[in-house]
């Protein structure tokens, strides 16, 4: 069935380190792909998205490229900050009803 | 414009009771989706409403129900609460239910069943 798999956390980095959070998907049709971020005590916020193959979504220094050949949508940031500490969720649309399928989330902690 | 508003923010209930959670979407948004978030299971889709009609439904028992009003506000009800229902319940709204545009989430209602 349709699914999203993302790397398990927690991920702990020092400030200014390079970040990669892996995400792969299995979905029929032509899914759209998303990264959401959840800061402590808050709901989820859309971080970036890509709607077709080879599209690159970007926001707040984060990037992810829709790779159809590897069914991946890895999240990257060149230099993380303490304020990036949060849980990151990868998601894709699936099926004719375009229901969102979610990964389990990856917790990121950035230390000063 | 105002974001998605969920009330109450926190709730403590006893096993066997029922609970009603409320969600007001962004003005103009007609689609409201509900999710249950727990540490072990992640985000689980409950249901989606669009123009007062349930359009999609997840794999939850019939104790979980919802509805949407003509002003797009939505309520979710859980009857005969169980300890395992303790979770963060998130509501998300979108313009027309097409998730290509992404959803806007509320801050959630933290339900604790004791």
């Amino acid at each position: 069935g349709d699914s999203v798999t993302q790397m398990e956390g927690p991920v702990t980095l020092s400030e200014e380190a390079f970040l990669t959070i892996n995400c792969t998907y299995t979905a029929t049709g032509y899914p759209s792909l998303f990264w959401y971020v959840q800061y402590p005590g808050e709901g989820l916020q859309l971080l970036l998205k890509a709607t077709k193959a080879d599209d690159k979504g970007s926001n707040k220094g984060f990037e992810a490229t829709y790779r159809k050949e590897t069914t991946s949508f890895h999240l990257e940031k060149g230099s993380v900050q303490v304020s990036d500490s949060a849980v990151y969720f990868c998601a894709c649309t699936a099926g004719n009803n375009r229901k969102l399928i979610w990964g389990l989330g990856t917790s990121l902690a950035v230390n000063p | 414009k105002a974001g998605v508003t969920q009330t109450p923010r926190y709730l403590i209930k006893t096993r066997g009771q029922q609970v009603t959670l409320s969600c007001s979407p962004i003005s103009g948004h007609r689609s409201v989706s509900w999710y249950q978030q727990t540490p072990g299971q992640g985000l689980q889709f409950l249901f989606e409403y669009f123009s007062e009609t349930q359009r999609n439904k997840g794999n939850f028992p019939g104790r979980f129900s919802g509805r949407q009003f003509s002003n797009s506000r939505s309520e979710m009800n859980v009857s005969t609460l169980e300890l395992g229902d303790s979770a963060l319940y998130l509501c998300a709204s979108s313009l027309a239910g097409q998730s290509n545009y992404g959803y806007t989430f509320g801050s959630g209602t933290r339900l604790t069943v004791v």
Side-chain angles (χ1 to χ4, degrees), chain A residues 5-7 18-25 33-35 47-48 50 55-58 62-67 70-77 90:
Chain A
T5 303
Q6 53 182 115
M7 64 188 286
F18 184 86
L19 168 72
T20 299
I21 300 179
N22 291 337
C23 171
T24 57
Y25 66 91
L33 304 173
F34 304 86
W35 278 101
L47 181 59
L48 53 83
D55 268 2
K56 177 186 284 188
S58 61
F62 291 89
E63 292 184 340
T65 301
Y66 189 146
R67 301 285 187 201
T70 54
T71 62
S72 65
F73 192 55
H74 304 323
L75 182 68
E76 296 182 337
K77 186 174 185 182
C90 184

Side-chain angles (χ1 to χ4, degrees), chain A residues 5-103:
Chain A
T5 303
Q6 53 182 115
M7 64 188 286
E8 289 187 28
V11 174
T12 303
L13 296 173
S14 298
E15 209 164 20
E16 299 183 3
F18 184 86
L19 168 72
T20 299
I21 300 179
N22 291 337
C23 171
T24 57
Y25 66 91
T26 301
T28 54
Y30 302 93
S32 294
L33 304 173
F34 304 86
W35 278 101
Y36 281 80
V37 58
Q38 185 176 32
Y39 298 102
E42 298 183 15
L44 279 72
Q45 301 176 24
L46 178 63
L47 181 59
L48 53 83
K49 65 180 173 72
T51 58
K52 63 183 187 297
D54 300 324
D55 268 2
K56 177 186 284 188
S58 61
N59 185 25
K60 299 181 181 179
F62 291 89
E63 292 184 340
T65 301
Y66 189 146
R67 301 285 187 201
K68 193 171 178 64
E69 63 277 11
T70 54
T71 62
S72 65
F73 192 55
H74 304 323
L75 182 68
E76 296 182 337
K77 186 174 185 182
S79 176
V80 294
Q81 305 301 311
V82 172
S83 57
D84 294 327
S85 299
V87 181
Y88 293 82
F89 291 88
C90 184
C92 78
T93 53
N96 294 331
N97 59 13
R98 310 294 287 176
K99 190 170 67 175
L100 270 174
I101 307 297
W102 295 88

Side-chain angles (χ1 to χ4, degrees), chain B:
Chain B
K1 56 184 175 183
V4 178
T5 303
Q6 290 189 248
T7 56
R9 286 296 307 272
Y10 302 94
L11 208 47
I12 299 176
K13 289 287 189 179
T14 305
R15 269 184 307 173
Q17 286 187 311
Q18 73 158 17
V19 66
T20 299
L21 312 181
S22 178
C23 171
S24 294
I26 289 175
S27 177
H29 283 194
R30 295 166 64 191
S31 167
V32 173
S33 298
W34 288 90
Y35 290 87
Q36 181 193 67
Q37 185 179 22
T38 57
Q41 299 294 319
L43 274 164
Q44 302 289 312
F45 172 73
L46 281 152
F47 26 65
E48 179 193 7
Y49 286 87
F50 180 76
S51 293
E52 301 179 66
T53 300
Q54 187 181 89
R55 189 155 66 172
N56 287 309
K57 189 176 188 306
N59 297 321
F60 278 80
R63 300 186 296 109
F64 292 81
S65 63
R67 59 178 175 169
Q68 187 179 33
F69 302 95
S70 58
N71 62 357
S72 293
R73 190 177 71 85
S74 177
E75 287 182 349
M76 190 193 99
N77 186 76
V78 187
S79 62
T80 320
L81 284 165
E82 301 176 359
L83 295 179
D85 296 333
S86 295
L88 180 66
Y89 290 88
L90 292 167
C91 162
S93 80
S94 69
L95 191 61
Q98 291 296 317
S99 53
N100 282 354
Y101 301 106
Y103 288 91
T104 302
F105 282 79
S107 297
T109 295
R110 171 79 59 188
L111 172 65
T112 302
V113 181
V114 297

